Amino acid sequence: CSIGGLERSATAQRNLVRVAEQVGDLRVLTYSILADSYISPGDFPQCPDGQRYMGQRHSVIKKEIALLDPDIVCLQEVEPVVFDQFFQQHMAREGYDGRYMKKSSMSPEGCATFWRVREGRNPGQTFRLIEQHAIELNVAAAEACRKSGMDPTQSRVLYDNVCLALLLRPLAGRRAVLVGNTQVLSHAKQPDSQTLQTALILASLSKAAQGESKPVDASSRTMADNDPAVLLCGNFNQLPDGPGISLVRNGFLDEKQLMVLREHP
């Protein structure tokens, strides 16, 4: 059946990935929903006229979330007003709590993460927020440059992308989960900058997982939360074989990917 322009057969048939038994099965949804401020007249001609702008897509997004009934939702390119006036209120009615992090400059959008606090239609997990970490990638990049003896203002590293990281404790007593939500630099001709941002995200999540970085709010972390599973969601703006994606998948770059980066000094 068709749901708001989405075919149920295509929407519902997602591949479930088995994670560690201590975590259990998680239903996770992640979307870059396209901020209205990035749409100019004539853009996205393949999109139906009645669904091009966010206000027109609200009902479709709501139906998609309801259909998939996820435990965790990570959204990118969320404008503050869309979070405040739509997502936060709607998701609360559906049994979720959420947090938002805007990009660190004048960019009009950011990342929003929601987690289930009440059970949904399908068996799933509910969570309690333990810590929130706000990772500003321009700050992390500047610090990495200074440690390497480089001037960050002379390097292509200071971009306003962010990563919102939340440490969640399952109410069923399973292993805690650290959820990272990000959107990496969208410039396809700068894979070096994209890969650096990805590396900074991984390093920052590692510190947060080990309790080595200071959370935004007071933490209620216990010893049981000190070895969380790490879940990274987002829009990495690279093809599946891109160096940033390979770094996430494998933890290293092979010679072919290093050659790609050397072409962009």
Side-chain angles (χ1 to χ4, degrees):
C1 64
S2 178
I3 299 184
L6 297 168
E7 293 297 325
R8 182 185 179 96
S9 60
T11 303
Q13 292 178 2
R14 301 288 199 253
N15 291 327
L16 297 180
V17 178
R18 177 71 61 179
V19 295
E21 290 299 327
Q22 302 97 320
V23 177
D25 290 335
L26 289 176
R27 295 176 65 87
V28 181
L29 179 150
T30 179
Y31 279 146
S32 180
I33 63 172
L34 181 59
D36 278 356
S37 52
Y38 295 153
I39 303 176
S40 299
D43 286 351
F44 308 102
Q46 72 278 12
C47 181
D49 290 339
Q51 295 180 359
R52 186 166 294 124
Y53 292 93
M54 180 54 59
Q56 300 167 322
R57 298 200 305 270
H58 280 173
S59 60
V60 178
I61 294 173
K62 288 193 320 188
K63 290 174 182 176
E64 173 82 343
I65 294 173
L67 178 64
L68 296 176
D69 195 27
D71 303 317
I72 295 171
V73 178
C74 293
L75 303 177
Q76 304 87 41
E77 288 198 24
V78 181
E79 292 164 303
V81 66
V82 173
F83 177 79
D84 291 336
Q85 297 184 11
F86 172 65
F87 277 113
Q88 190 173 37
Q89 298 177 26
H90 170 73
M91 296 297 282
R93 290 193 294 269
E94 296 300 310
Y96 296 86
D97 198 356
R99 292 292 184 274
Y100 178 76
M101 183 179 182
K102 184 180 174 295
K103 286 186 177 178
S104 51
S105 70
M106 298 302 292
S107 294
E109 43 87 9
C111 298
T113 302
F114 301 90
W115 63 95
R116 187 173 291 287
V117 294
R118 298 196 311 269
E119 290 189 4
R121 300 187 319 277
N122 300 309
Q125 296 201 45
T126 55
F127 301 88
R128 175 187 174 192
L129 178 63
I130 304 302
E131 288 180 355
Q132 175 178 340
H133 296 263
I135 302 167
E136 296 181 275
L137 296 181
N138 56 357
V139 175
E143 181 181 354
C145 283
R146 285 190 288 268
K147 288 182 177 179
S148 300
M150 300 170 57
D151 181 356
T153 64
Q154 302 300 314
S155 304
R156 300 188 306 172
V157 298
L158 299 183
Y159 297 99
D160 61 359
N161 302 78
V162 298
C163 179
L164 173 61
L166 304 179
L167 181 61
L168 304 175
R169 181 188 299 155
L171 298 184
R174 294 179 180 269
R175 185 181 178 190
V177 180
L178 179 66
V179 182
N181 182 10
T182 190
Q183 177 152 307
V184 170
L185 182 68
S186 61
H187 301 325
K189 294 184 179 181
Q190 293 183 228
D192 51 344
S193 301
Q194 294 175 321
T195 305
L196 173 63
Q197 287 192 337
T198 303
L200 293 171
I201 291 168
L202 295 175
S204 298
L205 291 177
S206 178
K207 290 182 179 179
Q210 298 171 33
E212 297 176 358
S213 59
K214 185 176 180 180
V216 173
D217 300 318
S219 172
S220 56
R221 180 190 287 243
T222 67
M223 290 293 292
D225 305 313
N226 282 342
D227 184 29
V230 178
L231 173 67
L232 177 56
C233 298
N235 180 2
F236 293 88
N237 282 305
Q238 287 193 359
L239 295 174
D241 60 350
I245 301 298
S246 296
L247 186 62
V248 173
R249 285 178 169 173
N250 305 320
F252 64 90
L253 300 175
D254 61 26
E255 186 58 33
K256 179 181 177 181
Q257 293 151 352
L258 289 173
M259 288 179 61
V260 170
L261 299 183
R262 292 189 188 108
E263 295 173 357
H264 299 80

